[in-house]
Amino acid sequence: MHAIEKILARAAGKATVATGEIINCKVDLAGINDLYLQTIRSFREMGGKKVNDPRKLVVFLDHYAPASTITQADNQKQFREFCWDQGIDLLMDVDTGVCHQVLADNGLVYPGMVLVVTDSHTTTHGAFGAFGTGVGATDLAIIMMTGQLWFRVPEVIRINLEGRLPKGVFAKDVILKVIGSLGADYGVYRAVEFTGPVLKEFGISERMALCNMTTEMGAKTAYIQPDEITMAFLKGKTKQDYEIFATDPGYEYAAEHSLDVSDLMPQVAAPHSVDNVFDITAYAGRPVDQAFLGTCTGGRVEDLAVAAGILKGRRVNPRTRFLVVPASKGVFLEAMDKGYIQALLEAGATFVTPGCAACLGTHQGMLASGETCITASSRNFPGRMGHTKAEIFVGSPAAVAAAALEGKIVNPADYLE
Amino acid sequence: MKSIISGKCFVYGANIDTDQIYPGRFLDLTDPDKVAEHAMEGADPSFVKEVGPGDIIVAAANFGCGSSREHAAVTLKTVGVGAILADSFGRIFYRNAINLGVPLLVCPGIAGVVKRGDRLTVDLTTGKVTNETTGAAAQAQALSGYVMEILAGGGIKPMIKEKYGQ
């Protein structure tokens, strides 16, 4: 069996599971985001009064942090009251940040767990060897009632990353290249595992970016076998006893791909699809109205560090707005401690409260018709960050910072030491 | 559950994401009738004016990719969409729609053999798809037993309520 299958088998109370089998799994932790009051509505519609186990639920007020409309404020009010009524202690209010980063910061994610959140980017937690997957509101309400959810055991695709990363090339460029090569629906219903020597060059931050973006190829979950890098991150963070599962020798993957990153250029996904991927030089010189650094994909300390490195002592182009959103309070504090916030603020960045911010096209940095944005987030769908006639390019945090400096898309490798 | 669905169809290309089905700026709405006012707004602003009960959405690959928002399934259910046929579906959207009792059928190549406004009939039990306007036929993949069970019960909520309701 694959390690993912072993995780699911344990959660289902079975010795073995087979690809394609429908199983009912106990969920170790389920997360609800403030966009989805429907979760509570579905819970009540199904006759729910008390949640199955309040210790296994976490509520994140992250997408509307803080509320911009009375409706959003009312939804968040209902969430807070629900947590207080149900004894849910893990209420992550508007001061904490994006769910996936908050889970990592607080030691709530660990290898071998089944983690389900009402957010598509829950694949992020493959970086810790967890089974993380996104669901909708009603599925989450079923977990609230029963502590369990059904899953189809997925096929697993292996993507082996070889070679040495060139200057200016990051995990974001690697995963954009993968998505561009394989397509936005290649991973639908399937799991994606990353292997290979390049993983040793990636810290947890880059591994999270890699796994996070597998959602953009349709994946159900992502996986990186936990190693010394994972252990070092988790030490002192998680209080859980956890079990690390390993894939049996001879496990047959549904497909295997290999990518040598040695000659990879910085990448960009051009409008309006995340698999519309090019070397960034194909769009060099394209004027940028807004550069957006943040989110569960690209708002970690390492991302702010690379941006600060590019912008320290320089000025953001006067024709470009540079929005910076640390992914979480923890990220904000650490980046402040290291001087990155000061450097970016002095360079002309506009800071937004930790949360999802402009990524979901509802507040804090909307785009007008005809505007162009380069973003370190995950999506460039039509209308994703505002008007459907806005154009969004998805790139690495370095590409975003370099574009903010120059006011146009450039090759970030030219701006790095 | 009606096992034969018949309606006029709306045809779309590949990668119609949930932002196009239901734009992010309306995510704070929770009343299904309000949510229904924005169905397909990002992809096709005329859809909501033209759609009627039982109508069928036909698309190429990866319909419903992207965000987990159940609003995307709620909006299409509430305007009365009878079934959705596509080469493939975003996996969270697939679960959301089935949970709400909206039949989703994987039917490779379907978007190539129907035009907007054609009348389609879909037999959920056999997967047989007939274009009543042109006479063309197609075969969708059979729905799994568990999915049929959910659809037969009018969605997953009545099933869970009966078993676990407090």
Side-chain angles (χ1 to χ4, degrees), chain A residues 293 304 307-308 311 322 324 339-349 351:
Chain A
L293 179 67
L304 300 178
L311 282 155
F322 182 36
V324 181
Y340 308 147
I341 303 296
Q342 180 89 0
L344 293 170
L345 199 54
E346 283 177 353
F351 272 83

Side-chain angles (χ1 to χ4, degrees), chain A residues 29-107:
Chain A
L29 188 66
I32 308 156
N33 304 89
D34 54 353
L35 295 174
Y36 307 121
L37 194 66
Q38 181 61 45
T39 312
I40 298 177
R41 290 169 69 105
S42 290
F43 174 71
R44 296 204 170 118
E45 287 166 32
M46 293 188 294
K49 292 196 169 63
K50 289 299 284 183
V51 298
N52 177 272
D53 187 347
R55 295 165 304 174
K56 293 187 174 176
L57 292 172
V58 50
V59 171
F60 303 99
L61 308 186
D62 56 354
H63 285 67
Y64 296 138
S68 303
T69 67
I70 293 169
T71 310
Q72 292 169 13
D74 189 62
N75 291 354
Q76 291 187 338
K77 178 169 173 269
Q78 292 189 57
F79 270 116
R80 291 187 190 101
E81 288 167 356
F82 186 79
C83 288
W84 299 333
D85 286 350
Q86 297 281 339
I88 298 168
D89 292 334
L90 293 172
L91 168 60
M92 302 299 179
D93 217 311
V94 294
D95 62 322
T96 41
V98 185
C99 56
H100 304 301
Q101 192 60 36
V102 170
L103 286 165
D105 287 356
N106 290 280

Side-chain angles (χ1 to χ4, degrees), chain A residues 61-373:
Chain A
L61 308 186
D62 56 354
H63 285 67
Y64 296 138
S68 303
T69 67
I70 293 169
T71 310
Q72 292 169 13
D74 189 62
N75 291 354
Q76 291 187 338
K77 178 169 173 269
Q78 292 189 57
F79 270 116
R80 291 187 190 101
E81 288 167 356
F82 186 79
C83 288
W84 299 333
D85 286 350
Q86 297 281 339
I88 298 168
D89 292 334
L90 293 172
L91 168 60
M92 302 299 179
D93 217 311
V94 294
D95 62 322
T96 41
V98 185
C99 56
H100 304 301
Q101 192 60 36
V102 170
L103 286 165
D105 287 356
N106 290 280
L108 293 169
V109 54
Y110 51 88
M113 79 184 297
V114 172
L115 171 67
V116 182
V117 185
T118 55
D119 189 275
S120 59
H121 289 110
T122 310
T123 54
T124 303
H125 304 284
F128 307 95
F131 176 88
T133 196
V135 297
T138 298
D139 269 335
L140 205 290
I142 293 170
I143 301 170
M144 287 161 77
M145 290 193 69
T146 68
Q148 303 182 23
L149 193 64
W150 70 271
F151 295 104
R152 184 185 154 279
V153 178
E155 294 87 2
V156 185
I157 300 158
R158 177 174 177 235
I159 297 174
N160 195 49
L161 303 173
E162 291 175 44
R164 289 295 302 270
L165 285 166
K167 188 177 73 169
V169 175
F170 300 87
K172 184 67 169 290
D173 301 294
V174 172
I175 188 63
L176 284 174
K177 182 70 184 176
V178 167
I179 297 168
S181 308
L182 298 177
D185 64 341
Y186 183 77
V188 173
Y189 314 133
R190 310 200 273 187
V192 173
E193 181 185 8
F194 296 100
T195 58
V198 176
L199 292 179
K200 299 293 175 197
E201 294 189 54
F202 287 157
I204 284 293
S205 171
E206 300 255 324
R207 292 178 178 194
M208 287 173 80
L210 207 56
C211 292
N212 173 285
M213 289 289 290
T214 62
T215 299
E216 307 314 324
M217 55 195 289
K220 177 190 202 115
T221 194
Y223 191 77
I224 292 173
Q225 187 62 38
D227 60 6
E228 63 286 350
I229 293 169
T230 328
M231 304 300 149
F233 179 87
L234 291 170
K235 201 172 175 205
K237 268 208 164 63
T238 182
K239 296 185 190 72
Q240 283 281 343
D241 292 326
Y242 56 79
E243 185 176 357
I244 292 174
F245 296 94
T247 301
D248 293 329
Y251 171 79
E252 282 195 28
Y253 289 89
E256 296 191 54
H257 300 274
S258 198
L259 174 66
D260 189 327
V261 302
S262 306
D263 297 321
L264 193 61
M265 288 274 295
Q267 302 288 298
V268 73
H272 293 283
S273 172
V274 186
D275 62 0
N276 190 26
V277 174
F278 300 87
D279 288 348
I280 197 164
T281 45
Y283 284 94
R286 171 72 179 252
V288 167
D289 301 291
Q290 179 164 296
F292 179 43
L293 179 67
T295 78
C296 59
T297 311
R300 279 175 272 281
V301 174
E302 291 79 353
D303 304 322
L304 300 178
V306 75
I310 290 169
L311 282 155
K312 189 175 171 62
R314 296 178 168 144
R315 287 291 301 171
V316 168
N317 187 283
R319 294 217 171 184
T320 304
R321 314 183 289 276
F322 182 36
L323 299 189
V324 181
V325 194
S328 69
K329 177 192 277 186
V331 167
F332 209 156
L333 284 167
E334 189 179 336
M336 197 148 47
D337 202 39
K338 291 182 167 162
Y340 308 147
I341 303 296
Q342 180 89 0
L344 293 170
L345 199 54
E346 283 177 353
T350 302
F351 272 83
V352 178
T353 296
C356 304
C359 177
L360 70 151
T362 192
H363 64 169
Q364 298 169 333
M366 303 277 280
L367 299 172
S369 176
E371 286 196 319
T372 296
C373 176

Side-chain angles (χ1 to χ4, degrees), chain B residues 123-143:
Chain B
D123 185 333
L124 296 183
T125 338
T126 63
K128 187 164 187 285
V129 181
T130 312
N131 186 334
E132 308 288 356
T133 307
T134 65
Q139 183 63 45
Q141 290 175 14
L143 293 165

Side-chain angles (χ1 to χ4, degrees), chain A residues 45 47 49 138-139 150 384, chain B residues 19 68 70 95 157 166:
Chain A
E45 287 166 32
K49 292 196 169 63
T138 298
D139 269 335
W150 70 271
R384 174 70 185 180
Chain B
D19 275 85
S68 63
E70 196 161 294
R95 289 184 71 120
K157 288 177 195 171
Q166 294 160 342

